[in-house]
Amino acid sequence: MAAPHRLFLFDDPVARGWHPFALTRPAGELLFGTETLRARSERVFAARCEGHFAGDALRGFEEPGAPPCLTGDEPGDNGHRLLLSSRFVPDEAPAEWPGGSVVVSAGGTPVGIRVPHGTALPGGIEAGRYPEAWPRVAVEGRVLASPWELMATNRERLRADGARFPGTALPAGVHRVGDGAISVAPGAVVEAGVVLDTTGGPVMVGTGAHVRAPGRICGPAWVGPGSTILGGELAGVSIGPECRVRGEVVSSLVLGHANKAHDGFLGHSIVGRWVNLGAMTSNSNLKNTYGPVRVQVDGRTVETGLMKAGCMLGDHVRTGIGTLLDTGTVVGAGSNLFGGRLPPKSVPPFAWGSGAGSGEYDIERFLDTAAVVMRRRGVTLAPGMRELYRRAFHDTAGLRAHPGG
């Protein structure tokens, strides 16, 4: 039997450029399919992740159920250590591990290392440099290139994840379309009158979730633990834990603790944690020309290669009533959009208001509001996270001084 190991994830330079999320969370804490990238590695490699190596900027990161971000010389040289790229999506681990140090690869691409007890970690792993002389061990899986790929391939991931969930009986009064799998976890409620359409893939409802009538969920779809679906139509979605969702939501991921409790369209998007979308907030996910969508990130134009690409909203973003978001809009963490104007396609973190002349969200006011929002859900804004947000605010001051630049 293979020796047990300690698991760690690291954000390489590519993952550290996954804006707007990289400012406030390691990439391993992004949702993909029915679980975070970190939880997937934990399950496949049968070890609890002890920490993320994601750079000093994320020092103090703390989230219920998630490991901390590590700094310095951690984790030492005791025990077998498995360090994996946070962008790696594993499907299957090797049956046995060699006794010595190895480079882990998927499809010929290095994705991590495994180092035995008593051996120091080599330098440069977080920068993507792997020891050439070490033997390779192949594992099954893929490497994600961008957060847009995370969104674009999520339906495929959901279909694959469905095989892990036990099929359950159709709840009383619920209407079923198609012959795909339905899995409703213990403690979940799907009210009579709801339509579960499994034509395109499985519909999975997590523990303690509540799907209210009337509404329609089209698979593949995942409704995470404790989330409430308040009505509307959802298709091809991953809804993380403790969310409130209503309206038309298509091909999108909502990381967790988000509030979209009103009507409005959300399509081909990723919504960070603790986001609140005001009534009738809607985004565009398709250009009038049907051409490929380009986005602005840190003053650079990035080609998504996608015809449908909506918005990416960082953690703790809030929008006012009737906010409209253009195709390919990226909104930085902590921004508060209001005023009835179309925001620019690149909104800097901690922006205050919409439009080209938006101001700056006072950081202490932001922290006070975030603490209130989290406390209403029984979660405390930890001191380390307060310092992380203050650091992020100061590090991004130049972006607000020169919006879009």
Side-chain angles (χ1 to χ4, degrees), residues 81-146:
R81 285 139 292 147
L82 177 62
L83 277 72
L84 293 174
S85 167
S86 56
R87 298 188 293 122
F88 176 50
V89 185
D91 289 324
E92 188 177 347
E96 295 289 340
W97 291 96
S101 299
V102 298
V103 172
V104 183
S105 67
T109 300
V111 296
I113 59 172
R114 188 174 189 270
V115 179
H117 174 74
T119 302
L121 297 176
I125 299 301
E126 294 172 61
R129 299 192 300 271
Y130 295 89
E132 293 290 337
W134 287 13
R136 264 54 174 171
V137 171
V139 295
E140 297 295 323
R142 61 182 296 179
V143 180
L144 297 167
S146 74

Side-chain angles (χ1 to χ4, degrees), residues 57-77:
L58 292 183
R59 183 179 69 254
F61 173 80
E62 183 178 335
E63 201 162 77
C69 287
L70 305 177
T71 58
D73 297 327
E74 300 169 270
D77 62 357

Side-chain angles (χ1 to χ4, degrees), residues 267-289:
H268 293 81
S269 299
I270 302 181
V271 175
R273 285 213 172 200
W274 301 106
V275 168
N276 186 84
L277 301 182
M280 299 309 296
T281 293
S282 294
N283 79 292
S284 167
N285 63 342
L286 178 68
K287 295 171 65 175
N288 287 346
T289 62

Side-chain angles (χ1 to χ4, degrees), residues 19-346:
H19 298 297
F21 310 107
L23 183 68
T24 55
R25 66 179 47 252
E29 297 305 324
L30 293 175
L31 181 64
F32 189 39
T34 61
E35 56 195 343
T36 62
L37 294 169
R38 180 259 309 163
R40 190 173 302 274
S41 287
E42 289 179 327
R43 177 176 53 79
V44 172
F45 292 97
R48 182 159 182 79
C49 181
E50 296 183 31
H52 298 277
F53 288 99
D56 192 60
L58 292 183
R59 183 179 69 254
F61 173 80
E62 183 178 335
E63 201 162 77
C69 287
L70 305 177
T71 58
D73 297 327
E74 300 169 270
D77 62 357
N78 59 316
H80 300 273
R81 285 139 292 147
L82 177 62
L83 277 72
L84 293 174
S85 167
S86 56
R87 298 188 293 122
F88 176 50
V89 185
D91 289 324
E92 188 177 347
E96 295 289 340
W97 291 96
S101 299
V102 298
V103 172
V104 183
S105 67
T109 300
V111 296
I113 59 172
R114 188 174 189 270
V115 179
H117 174 74
T119 302
L121 297 176
I125 299 301
E126 294 172 61
R129 299 192 300 271
Y130 295 89
E132 293 290 337
W134 287 13
R136 264 54 174 171
V137 171
V139 295
E140 297 295 323
R142 61 182 296 179
V143 180
L144 297 167
S146 74
W148 293 104
E149 184 180 357
L150 196 75
M151 178 275 296
T153 61
N154 192 54
R155 283 180 180 252
E156 171 191 330
R157 185 73 260 169
L158 283 167
R159 292 189 187 98
D161 282 355
R164 296 190 292 104
F165 286 78
T168 58
L170 191 69
V174 173
H175 305 283
R176 176 181 188 145
V177 177
D179 57 2
I182 291 174
S183 181
V184 179
V189 175
V190 182
E191 294 182 356
V194 169
V195 176
L196 301 181
D197 185 346
T198 64
T199 305
V203 174
M204 299 157 283
V205 181
T207 303
H210 191 156
V211 182
R212 295 184 183 175
R216 185 185 188 99
I217 299 180
C218 301
W222 163 247
V223 178
S227 284
T228 301
I229 307 304
L230 299 164
E233 180 167 334
L234 281 65
V237 297
S238 288
I239 307 298
E242 301 294 338
C243 294
R244 307 290 181 266
V245 177
R246 179 185 180 88
E248 184 182 0
V249 185
V250 178
S251 298
S252 296
L253 301 97
V254 183
L255 301 191
H257 290 88
N259 185 52
K260 186 197 177 302
H262 307 283
D263 287 330
F265 174 73
L266 179 70
H268 293 81
S269 299
I270 302 181
V271 175
R273 285 213 172 200
W274 301 106
V275 168
N276 186 84
L277 301 182
M280 299 309 296
T281 293
S282 294
N283 79 292
S284 167
N285 63 342
L286 178 68
K287 295 171 65 175
N288 287 346
T289 62
Y290 286 67
V293 178
R294 300 178 180 88
V295 299
Q296 297 293 321
V297 178
D298 282 351
R300 299 178 294 108
T301 299
V302 177
E303 300 281 353
T304 67
L306 303 171
M307 187 172 71
K308 287 191 174 183
C311 61
M312 295 211 171
L313 309 181
D315 293 341
H316 286 280
V317 165
R318 297 179 184 86
T319 67
I321 292 174
T323 299
L324 302 179
L325 300 170
D326 201 358
T327 315
T329 294
V330 178
V331 181
S335 292
N336 194 331
L337 305 181
F338 59 90
R341 291 177 293 177
L342 186 72
K345 293 185 67 170
S346 179

